[in-house]
Amino acid sequence: MPDRPAEPVEAISRDEVARLADLARIDLDEAELDHLAPQLAVILESVASIRGVAGDDVPPTSHPIPLANVFREDVVVPGLTAEEALAGAPASENGRFSVPRILGDEQ
Amino acid sequence: MSNDWTRRTAAELAEALAAGEVTSVELTRAHLDRIAAVDGDATSGIHAFLHVDTEGALAQAAASDERRAGGTPLHPLDGVPIAVKDVLTTKGLPTTCGSKILEGWVPPYDATVVRRLKAAGLPILGKTNMDEFAMGSSTEHSAYGPTRNPWDQTRIPGGSGGGSAAAVASFEAPFAIGTDTGGSIRQPGAVTGTVGVKPTYGAVSRYGLIALANSLDQAGPVTRTVLDAALLQELIGGHDPLDSTSVDQPLPSLVDAARQGATGDLTGVRIGVVSEMSGEGWQPGVMARFQESVDLLVKAGAEVVEVSCPSFVHALATYYLILPAECSSNLAKFDAMRYGLRVVPDGNPSAEDVMRATRDAGFGDEVKRRIILGTYALSSGYYDAYYGQAQKVRTLISRDFEAAFERVDVLVSPTAPTTAFELGEKLDDPLAMYLNDLATIPANLAGTPGISVPAGLAEEDGLPVGFQILAPALADDRCYRVGAALEALLTAEWGGPLLDRAPALEETR
């Protein structure tokens, strides 16, 4: 595993919070970073207490009840109309969602 | 019995409707009037509601009266009005999840729970306030201002379902729907003197519930009596083909269990007091009321033993890794493209620029905190150490429940470690806020059901205390039986419901 952190947990840095916000597609300004980073550090330090609690012999539980795929017959049923689907859109045009440009200037 | 329709329970209202003593329009109007009188807004009053649907509720009530006059009520609760937490989609009625990012959004479809309420003929009074995307224990994280506790308006009403609990506690609605991801029905119930139920995971459909954490979220009743909760869970519960995690097997009758419990006889019932969910750090007045309730259950014939669930001490940390991980993924859909807020920065912004600006402007601090924490827990190199480890500890917590339920029928604890704290008191200390859910979280991790029943007022501050009862998955009836027994014994001791002792609310209009 390439970047597994050394024990004990390193405190989360302001730069790390900025990188995570970038991954989560949230523009945080400087003041927000100053505010959030120390709080996240405290929370992380607290939740890190579970490291080492369960050994390799303990299977993980992703869901409280066993899940199975649920299938139905492949029949056509009415869905939302185009008008209903577009009713909450910030912008629409010719029965379609209107979105800002996807590609950058250089493309 | 009081002539004021807003003081009656849902079961009493159903009886009055059946007996022809009142119309649905009359009692729906009584509740709308009460809302207009005491609910106020973000700056004063209870502020339990984000949207009140006066016209829609009265139209639904009129239709109910017509059905009843024609001899065809759809359900025993047909015509009894209800409030719904703003996390559930309501066709034609705004649904914001307490967030600016969904301000003004009107869903094109109903959540299954809402559809079942409408199909049974219950008028929907409106949508109740909540912590943004159900993240919080105080309803202070609502983007539209906090809800206030009817017992003391300088205090929190619990969270994230503070709006639903406060609406029921202040007699604005006979009962309401909440959702419980880490205690968001039970903890507000405890601090407002109401009954809150988290059903077995999957026993009530999550279709149309705007997801916070899929493996933890569960909709359920907020009421003033255990019987009302049983009536409501039976109405909204049951298998739903639209939710792939919906449980496809029947639960024992909850209403029968509540009626049986109300006789006050618990002979043969084994009750386990969880040693990890009490003691040091718990408010003395909360512990005193809890102990009195346990003593009452013993008098009612129950056998009480102390039970240890050693992994429960890790539940809070486990929860605060699993929840942010699931929420960071769920909230990715708020991308400013298809619905909700769109903030367009200057210049010629790309879709990604718009997304970043919108998510910064639309999400509040707590939501950002958890999305970033979840992004961290799921990121490469940390996944095994945090998220993977949390999923394993979740297994240990489930095993603790299984071992405990081999010895006892139900587990009990105080619902929350303290009574309602002051508004603003813990707003800048997320960790202190999280500690409030200490006793409620294990049930969400294991998918087991739980109920919080009012247990009296703490001596030091005169505020409500909740008594929590937990049962094995699909044995929700046990929560109702023991809860109804405790309620009957305590109500007899108090000479009436606890809420009768709440202060009268000033009219704000």
Side-chain angles (χ1 to χ4, degrees):
Chain A
M1 195 150 306
D3 3 278
R4 185 159 186 158
E7 308 268 355
V9 192
E10 299 155 16
I12 190 165
S13 67
R14 196 174 172 286
D15 287 351
E16 179 78 348
V17 175
R19 192 182 71 86
L20 292 165
D22 191 54
L23 287 172
R25 305 285 186 266
I26 303 175
D27 267 342
L28 292 182
D29 61 30
E30 297 299 312
E32 283 178 308
L33 281 172
D34 291 339
H35 183 65
L36 266 178
Q39 286 182 339
L40 283 166
V42 172
I43 295 168
L44 265 178
E45 198 187 320
S46 166
V47 297
S49 65
I50 66 157
R51 300 181 79 179
V53 166
D56 291 340
D57 56 327
V58 180
T61 300
S62 63
H63 233 256
I65 53 168
L67 285 182
N69 273 335
V70 178
F71 298 101
R72 67 166 172 82
E73 293 305 310
D74 186 12
V75 280
V76 178
V77 291
L80 297 178
T81 63
E83 288 74 26
E84 286 171 326
L86 289 168
S92 64
E93 207 178 306
N94 299 329
R96 301 186 185 106
F97 292 99
S98 174
V99 301
R101 64 189 175 84
I102 304 292
L103 302 176
D105 293 329
E106 71 281 7
Q107 286 145 321
Chain B
M1 196 178 285
S2 160
N3 285 326
D4 181 352
W5 293 112
T6 65
R7 305 293 290 195
R8 308 270 189 106
T9 69
E12 289 166 354
L13 293 176
E15 276 177 32
L17 283 167
E21 290 168 31
V22 69
T23 65
S24 175
V25 167
E26 282 169 336
L27 55 89
T28 299
R29 199 182 292 280
H31 286 93
L32 290 166
D33 284 349
R34 175 75 177 169
I35 294 169
V38 303
D39 203 54
D41 52 28
T43 55
S44 71
I46 300 300
H47 197 222
F49 284 87
L50 291 178
H51 319 283
V52 179
D53 188 18
T54 304
E55 213 173 287
L58 286 172
Q60 288 164 345
S64 169
D65 287 334
E66 221 166 279
R67 280 191 297 274
R68 199 172 287 278
T72 55
L74 298 166
H75 185 273
L77 292 170
D78 189 339
V80 180
I82 192 164
V84 176
K85 188 177 178 182
D86 205 29
V87 67
L88 288 156
T89 57
T90 39
K91 187 173 182 176
L93 189 62
T95 300
T96 65
C97 242
S99 181
K100 286 282 177 203
I101 213 161
L102 278 176
E103 190 163 17
W105 182 58
V106 179
Y109 70 106
D110 278 325
T112 294
V113 166
V114 172
R115 194 163 42 77
R116 288 185 179 172
L117 294 175
K118 286 182 177 174
L122 282 74
I124 293 172
L125 296 164
K127 306 295 290 293
T128 56
N129 200 4
M130 56 183 283
D131 282 302
E132 185 176 2
F133 289 106
M135 297 183 203
S137 308
S138 70
T139 314
E140 292 169 289
H141 295 300
S142 166
Y144 303 97
T147 297
R148 294 171 199 86
N149 192 320
W151 288 83
D152 175 349
Q153 295 188 32
T154 68
R155 307 260 175 174
I156 60 121
S160 65
S164 286
V168 174
S170 61
F171 301 95
E172 294 175 300
F175 54 3
I177 302 287
T179 59
D180 190 312
T181 304
S184 293
I185 294 176
R186 289 164 287 158
Q187 181 256 6
V191 302
T192 61
T194 55
V195 175
V197 181
K198 183 198 96 70
T200 292
Y201 179 83
V204 174
S205 169
R206 278 195 328 286
Y207 178 78
L209 192 174
I210 298 172
L212 166 56
N214 310 54
S215 77
L216 304 164
D217 297 336
Q218 186 55 61
V222 182
T223 61
R224 290 200 290 270
T225 66
V226 175
L227 175 62
D228 279 3
L231 289 163
L232 187 52
Q233 187 179 334
E234 284 196 355
L235 167 58
I236 60 174
H239 182 242
D240 178 15
L242 297 177
D243 174 1
S244 64
T245 59
S246 170
V247 171
D248 194 5
Q249 50 181 304
L251 258 51
S253 169
L254 309 175
V255 172
D256 288 354
R259 290 196 196 281
Q260 189 196 356
T263 64
D265 180 15
L266 290 177
T267 308
V269 176
R270 294 166 303 162
I271 288 170
V273 175
V274 185
S275 46
E276 285 79 8
M277 296 205 281
S278 64
E280 213 175 306
W282 294 61
Q283 189 177 321
V286 169
M287 285 312 300
R289 290 292 92 86
F290 172 69
Q291 196 50 54
E292 281 172 15
S293 294
V294 171
D295 294 345
L296 272 183
L297 297 178
V298 173
K299 273 191 201 159
E303 181 195 335
V304 175
V305 292
E306 190 158 314
V307 170
S308 176
C309 296
S311 296
F312 281 18
V313 297
H314 304 296
L316 197 68
T318 304
Y319 178 81
Y320 278 102
L321 285 166
I322 291 174
L323 178 135
E326 292 188 17
C327 105
S328 67
S329 158
N330 277 322
L331 268 53
K333 64 176 164 280
F334 296 99
D335 59 5
M337 298 301 136
R338 290 146 298 146
Y339 51 86
L341 182 72
R342 178 180 285 181
V343 173
V344 183
D346 290 341
N348 180 23
S350 67
E352 197 178 311
D353 298 331
V354 169
M355 205 182 296
R356 288 168 191 280
T358 301
R359 286 164 66 83
D360 181 43
F363 288 145
D365 282 351
E366 182 63 23
V367 175
K368 288 174 186 167
R369 208 151 37 218
R370 295 200 196 182
I371 289 176
I372 291 170
L373 190 60
T375 306
Y376 180 81
L378 290 176
S379 59
S380 162
Y382 298 103
Y383 183 93
D384 286 340
Y386 288 105
Y387 187 68
Q389 184 64 212
Q391 301 284 49
K392 287 182 180 179
V393 179
R394 188 174 193 170
T395 306
L396 297 179
I397 288 164
S398 291
R399 286 179 183 172
D400 274 5
F401 270 115
E402 282 162 24
F405 287 131
E406 278 176 17
R407 295 179 57 204
V408 297
D409 299 305
V410 294
L411 294 171
V412 298
S413 75
T415 309
T418 67
T419 53
F421 50 87
E422 299 268 349
L423 287 160
E425 189 184 324
K426 298 184 180 179
L427 208 46
D428 282 327
D429 189 351
L431 218 50
M433 183 83 87
Y434 297 170
L435 280 170
N436 244 277
D437 300 332
L438 208 60
T440 47
I441 280 174
N444 298 86
L445 291 168
T448 52
I451 189 171
S452 176
V453 179
L457 307 177
E459 236 147 59
E460 54 269 49
D461 52 24
L463 292 168
V465 172
F467 185 90
Q468 177 177 239
I469 302 153
L470 305 170
L474 302 175
D476 300 41
D477 58 312
R478 295 186 199 174
C479 294
Y480 284 101
R481 182 176 171 201
V482 177
L486 180 62
E487 177 184 65
L489 296 165
L490 284 170
T491 311
E493 207 160 86
W494 299 329
L498 187 70
L499 275 168
D500 282 357
R501 290 198 256 163
L505 297 176
E506 255 178 65
E507 302 210 350
T508 56
R509 66 175 164 192

